[in-house]
Each structure stands twice: as C-alpha cells, then as structure tokens.
Amino acid sequence: MTTASNPDRAAHRQSLRERNGGQILVQQLRIHGVKRVFLVPGESYLPCIDALYDHQDAIQPVVCRQESGAGYMAEAYGKLTGEPGICFVTRGPGATNASIAVHTAYQDSTPMILFVGQVGNDFIEREAFQEIDYRRMFGEMAKWVAQIDRTDRIPEFVARAFAVATSGRPGPVVLALPEDTLWGKATVPDLPRYQRAHAAPTPAAMASLETLLAQAQRPFLLVGGSGWTPQSMRQIEGFAERFALPVGAAWRRLECFDNHHPNFASHVGWGMGDALRARIRDADLLIAVGTRMGEATTEGYTLVESPLPRQRLVHVYPDANELGRVFQSALPIAADVVSFAQAVDTLRPAAEPAWGGQTRAARGDYLAQQEPAPAPGPLNVNAVACHVRDHVPPDACITVGAGNYALFAHAYHRFQGVGTSLTPTVGSMGYGLPAAISAKLEYPDRTVVCYAGDGCFQMNLQELGVAMQYRLGIVVLVFNNGMWGTIRAHQEREFPGRTIALTFDNPDFSELVRAYRGHGEVVGSDAEFGPAFARALEFANTQRLPALLELRYDPDGVGPGITLSQIRAAALARQAQAAS
C-alpha cells in the first residue's frame, strides 16, 4: 500500500460506525450480491435476523419449515445462478437437519454457504445447549468449515467463504457464528464484492487437444458438472457441431447440453441404452468437460475404467486436485467450463470429420427411445413424462428428487440449458419440492414441475407451506406406487420373491395439498392425465399456488420399459442356473 492511500484508509475508518456482528454480516452479504436467503429462524443467530430488517429492499428472507428444505432451496439456488446459495440455521438440531443439503452441494459441486448459530465462546467445550463442533461434523462434506470468533473478522471470513465456494471445484462452505461474535460490536470496514477466479487451459493443452482430435476415429464428448452459462453452452455446441462430435450428458446433468441439438446422444450413466453404452465403451477419444465422471456416470467405474481408461481421455476440470485422482488421463486440462468453452470456440477442424455418420446414428438411437415404453395398468407413467415434455414451454424447469420415478423424467424430457433441470446427483431424497420452490422464486414467470415419488415427497412435503406463503404456482406430480420402488427393484434382483419392509400406506395427497390452499387431483388412467395436467397448470399460473396431481399406477412398472416381474423372473432364472 502506498503512503498516499494510508490517510484515505484512516479517514474511511473514522467515518465508520460501530455495528454488531449481525449487522456487519448481513451488510457483507448484500455487498457480495446476495438477493435471497433461506432460513429456519433460531435464537442463536437473532442479530442476523434483526439485521435483515434493514435490507428488505435487496435481500429476501425465505422462511422455511425445516432445515433440510431450507438447505435444499439454497443448494438449488446455487445450481440455478452459479452464485452461492445462502442458508441460515440454528445450532445443533438445525445444523444436523441441514447437513443433507451440505452433502448434496459437496457431491454435486454446487456453491453454497451455510451459516450456523453457535454457543458463545464462553461456553465452548462444555457441551452447552445444542453445542456441536462443526469443524468435525462437516469436515468431510464441505470445502471449508470455520468458526468466526471475532466480530471484527466477519468481513474477512465472509469474503473468503464466497471465494472458496466458487473457486476450483465449487462446493459448500460452513461458517459457525458464536453468539458473542454476533452480539459483539466492532468498527470495521466492509470488504468489496468477491471476484471469481477462473482456471483456463494453456495454449499447449489446446494444441494437444487438436492433435488428439485429428488422430481420433470414434470420439465422444461428455459434459457435466457445474458452472455452465448460456454463452459457454453455445460455445460448446459450436465446438460439437464443427467437429461432428456426439455428445452425452453426465448422470443427472442433462441441462448442460441442449437435448434438442442434433449432436445430443442422451444421458450417460445408470439406465442408459445399450447402444450408447457400447458407443462410449468403444470410443478411442473421450473428452470429458466439467464432470468428475463419478460412480453413476461410469456405471461403477466400468464404462470408463479406473485408474486407466481404455479410451484416450481428455479430462477438463476446474480443480487440478481432481485430475488424476480417479482416472489417469492422456490429457488433463485444469480449466473451468467457461474458460474451456472460450478456448475451443476458436478451434476448427483441418478437414471434414470422418465420424459424422456415427454422430447421426447416435442421435437416431436417442430419438428412437423417445416414444413411451409400454407399462402395466391403466396409467402409463412413461406416457405421462412424454405428455409433460410436449406440453410445457422449452424453458420450463423440471425438478426431481431420488428414486426410480426420476428415470421417467430423465428418459423422456428434453432439457435445454441451465435452469431447466434441478436434480441431486448425490441421489438425496426430498429434494424435488424445495428445488421447485427455489426455481419459482428465481424464475417466477417460468413453468416449474416437480417430479416426486410418494416416499420422496413425504420427506419434505411440509415445504408446501412455503409455496403457499410466497404464492408460488408450482405443479407437483406425485408418483404413488405405495412402496420404496428403487429398493424393491434391488431386492427383487438380489432376493427375488422375499419382499418385506418396503411398502407403506399413503395419505390422499390430493386432499393434503388442499390444506395448503392448493389444487389437487387423483389420476389413474392415461385418458385422465392430459386434462388434469392442463387444469393443474392453469391453476398454478392464475392462482399462484401449488397444484398437485397424484398418479396412482401399477407398482410393477418400476422404470422405463422395466417391470418388477421381469427383474424377479431374471433373478430366479439366475438362481436356478447357479443351482444346476
């Protein structure tokens, strides 16, 4: 710092007023661009709640019903915007409830900051009321966990939290807020808004990529991860077009590439088609951009083998620590998707790619799977997913939680960019409804449809109260088959005919939503769904309240083109063959 700037800084300090910790923290959130916080109020961070009163023109507090719902909403906000989703919860039970969202943000590489109330420093290490050591509790599921023990250091910690949450591989940060820090007062300057650091590919790396493309005969482009923008998506689409590359989206990252694009070949991971699986397995060059290629995408690290893939692998990822961690690649490139997309935007093939026919064949395979598969019973939920696809606007946001019912949306819906899909790659249940609420808050003019299993929905159905309170016209499709369908499928596969502990009685979901001033209907046949869905959309759009359709269907139809009867029969046949 120059000597000339020292007097300026001193004068700035003299002009500051004394503030308590809550006032300092919330002012920092405003400076960093926060426009919405999700919270379940708690006395442990009361000064922060009070400080929000003075920032109502810029920051909207969203009062949630349970901390897991609040955390999921914040995580969904991070997915939608690329900025950290902000969640406040109280100490102890509040933090443990919110931990599922932190784990989701970690495995989904979503920027998020969780602020947790904490006992005062004078009570630390006495097992005071609701006391937990958050460094130990969250250490394995967050990028950084810290406790702010001094009021005057709040701006420093908050600025670092934003930088850590968004840099390299994005993820969650947890900051504990002791009561004496929040109630304490300090005269401290605010820090400026954080600046995101971008990792960019080197010229040498791009030259090597061009060489590998020139040598390839069966290349495949796999996209996924977080940090995508509309511009980076268009640039990657242009790259795929110029090089005639077939493109797959990593597990539950279908929004990362326009599914309507002629180069799109479907999602990659559990439930993919045999033709696509063979295409990736036999590829001589696999360019993976933004995705870690986890267990689900690689089908247990068999499609892309660890540690040494059979394909020549170009792995593009923003965090160098992830490169070489699971897969030894032919060309590791430490770059985020924005910087990599800018770099490939300048690449041009030296000659017409020879594999264009393979790409067209891959697209043909994908389109052939877009007709609804048959299913038992009067209501075909394959056809339901196709109807939704064909009757919502292109920018509609589809949210799902976890369960076999999610396969219907991922098999048939055609997503086309950031904000059109919200789903947890970690496979955490109860996510769909809070995510839909977050999406509707962020995009009030968009259609938002939540796919929810009957079990998944009941994990966070209380957040219907948020949709009611904030007048959010979302549509919820509850897939009611009266059982934990995914586990039932696994049980039939491993222990056929020995069903136990997987079924349950459900409430009338259509009546339940009416208690939240919403619209509800029960649908039991194909003929009923179309008109009911139209009524649900109309109600949600005009009344700005939730609409719910309870889909009662044959539980034998457990997935797209899959029945429990088939799974059981195949398992029994294997057992008989092994016994013979």
Side-chain angles (χ1 to χ4, degrees):
M1 181 181 295
T2 65
T3 55
S5 63
N6 283 325
D8 295 337
R9 185 173 180 85
H12 178 56
R13 284 185 176 275
Q14 291 175 2
S15 68
L16 294 174
R17 63 182 179 87
E18 188 178 60
R19 297 172 291 172
N20 69 35
Q23 292 169 327
I24 295 170
L25 192 153
V26 174
Q27 177 63 38
Q28 283 300 130
L29 294 184
R30 180 169 186 159
I31 290 172
H32 289 301
V34 172
K35 62 181 181 181
R36 189 173 298 119
V37 297
F38 302 93
L39 71 155
V40 175
E43 73 279 5
S44 63
Y45 66 95
L46 196 59
C48 296
I49 299 175
D50 175 73
L52 286 169
Y53 186 89
D54 296 322
H55 295 274
Q56 296 177 71
D57 60 321
I59 301 176
Q60 178 189 27
V62 179
V63 182
C64 304
R65 304 309 188 255
Q66 207 257 18
E67 290 86 359
S68 66
Y72 277 147
M73 291 179 205
E75 195 278 345
Y77 178 92
K79 277 193 174 83
L80 289 167
T81 66
E83 303 289 339
I86 306 299
C87 183
F88 279 86
V89 298
T90 197
R91 63 197 184 201
T96 54
N97 281 339
S99 64
I100 188 172
V102 176
H103 185 219
T104 299
Y106 187 77
Q107 287 222 333
D108 282 38
S109 303
T110 304
M112 174 182 171
I113 303 174
L114 176 70
F115 292 98
V116 184
Q118 176 62 300
V119 301
N121 280 291
D122 51 341
F123 290 172
I124 288 290
E125 296 292 347
R126 293 178 176 174
E127 197 183 345
F129 180 61
Q130 298 180 337
E131 179 185 355
I132 294 178
D133 184 339
Y134 297 112
R135 293 183 182 91
R136 294 167 62 192
M137 174 181 168
F138 288 104
E140 288 294 316
M141 64 176 89
K143 289 188 68 178
W144 180 45
V145 187
Q147 182 165 301
I148 312 177
D149 290 328
R150 284 175 44 180
T151 306
D152 62 347
R153 294 189 67 184
I154 288 174
E156 170 195 345
F157 274 75
V158 173
R160 180 177 171 185
F162 275 83
V164 171
T166 58
S167 64
R169 175 186 173 185
V173 168
V174 179
L175 290 181
L177 308 171
E179 288 190 3
D180 53 322
T181 299
L182 295 180
W183 285 96
K185 294 184 177 181
T187 302
V188 59
D190 295 313
L191 293 180
R193 179 169 178 158
Y194 80 102
Q195 298 294 319
R196 179 172 304 174
H198 288 280
T202 64
M206 298 310 296
S208 296
L209 174 60
E210 286 189 281
T211 299
L212 291 173
L213 280 166
Q215 295 171 349
Q217 294 180 334
R218 299 178 305 281
F220 193 92
L221 176 61
L222 176 65
V223 299
S226 58
W228 291 91
T229 64
Q231 181 180 6
S232 62
M233 289 186 60
R234 289 192 297 270
Q235 290 168 332
I236 289 295
E237 288 171 10
F239 170 60
E241 291 168 6
R242 292 189 301 276
F243 286 86
L245 296 171
V247 183
W251 168 254
R252 293 189 159 208
R253 288 296 194 182
L254 282 152
E255 75 278 8
C256 293
F257 197 89
D258 187 351
N259 298 182
H260 299 85
H261 195 281
N263 291 54
F264 183 70
S266 194
H267 79 282
V268 177
W270 291 328
M272 79 175 87
D274 292 337
L276 180 61
R277 181 180 298 108
R279 201 174 299 280
I280 299 172
R281 184 188 61 234
D282 297 338
D284 61 355
L285 178 63
L286 178 61
I287 305 170
V289 180
T291 174
R292 291 188 305 113
M293 294 183 295
E295 177 190 356
T297 299
T298 62
E299 293 190 324
Y301 309 102
T302 60
L303 187 64
V304 183
E305 295 176 351
S306 173
L308 187 62
R310 66 172 64 88
Q311 308 92 339
R312 299 181 79 178
L313 175 62
V314 176
H315 197 180
V316 182
Y317 202 75
D319 192 337
N321 292 321
E322 293 289 338
L323 297 172
R325 177 185 175 190
V326 180
F327 304 100
Q328 297 298 314
S329 53
L331 177 59
I333 301 178
D336 57 36
V337 294
V338 171
S339 297
F340 181 76
Q342 290 174 346
V344 297
D345 199 36
T346 65
L347 296 187
R348 300 292 185 275
E352 184 73 19
W355 50 78
Q358 300 172 29
T359 300
R360 290 188 291 273
R363 179 64 177 179
D365 293 337
Y366 168 71
L367 293 176
Q369 298 170 354
Q370 290 292 285
E371 291 300 319
L379 178 61
N380 183 345
V381 287
N382 298 273
V384 163
C386 291
H387 183 95
V388 172
R389 175 195 68 200
D390 297 336
H391 290 82
V392 296
D395 65 352
C397 180
I398 308 297
T399 74
V400 302
N404 266 29
Y405 73 88
L407 296 174
F408 297 102
H410 293 151
Y412 298 110
H413 201 86
R414 296 178 192 170
F415 303 93
Q416 65 168 44
V418 176
T420 60
S421 172
L422 286 172
T423 180
T425 66
V426 72
S428 52
M429 301 184 76
Y431 180 87
L433 178 60
I437 289 169
S438 190
K440 196 65 176 179
L441 284 165
E442 185 65 18
Y443 302 122
D445 295 329
R446 288 193 187 184
T447 296
V448 178
V449 179
C450 167
Y451 281 61
D454 47 353
C456 187
F457 179 65
Q458 291 183 86
M459 290 193 176
N460 265 319
L461 65 82
Q462 74 281 346
E463 303 306 330
L464 282 173
V466 179
M468 175 185 69
Q469 179 175 345
Y470 293 89
R471 301 299 297 260
L472 303 174
I474 60 175
V475 176
V476 182
L477 305 180
V478 177
F479 288 68
N480 183 1
N481 59 6
M483 65 179 182
W484 299 108
T486 301
I487 311 307
R488 173 71 185 278
H490 286 299
Q491 190 179 60
E492 292 289 3
R493 188 174 292 112
E494 303 298 333
F495 304 102
R498 295 174 58 82
T499 304
I500 189 172
L502 293 179
T503 60
F504 41 76
D505 288 335
N506 281 321
D508 187 328
F509 294 108
S510 66
E511 291 289 342
L512 183 65
V513 74
R514 293 188 186 106
Y516 291 94
R517 304 176 195 155
H519 170 83
E521 294 187 45
V522 174
V523 176
S525 69
D526 292 346
E528 294 172 352
F529 180 75
F533 187 63
R535 288 189 292 270
L537 286 174
E538 175 69 15
F539 178 88
N541 291 333
T542 59
Q543 302 302 310
R544 295 187 295 122
L545 286 167
L548 183 150
L549 299 182
E550 178 184 337
L551 310 179
R552 296 180 181 174
Y553 65 105
D554 191 326
D556 195 37
V558 72
I562 306 170
T563 65
L564 290 172
S565 301
Q566 293 169 337
I567 295 172
R568 176 184 289 189
L572 291 171
R574 286 195 302 271
Q575 288 184 353
Q577 184 177 12
S580 62

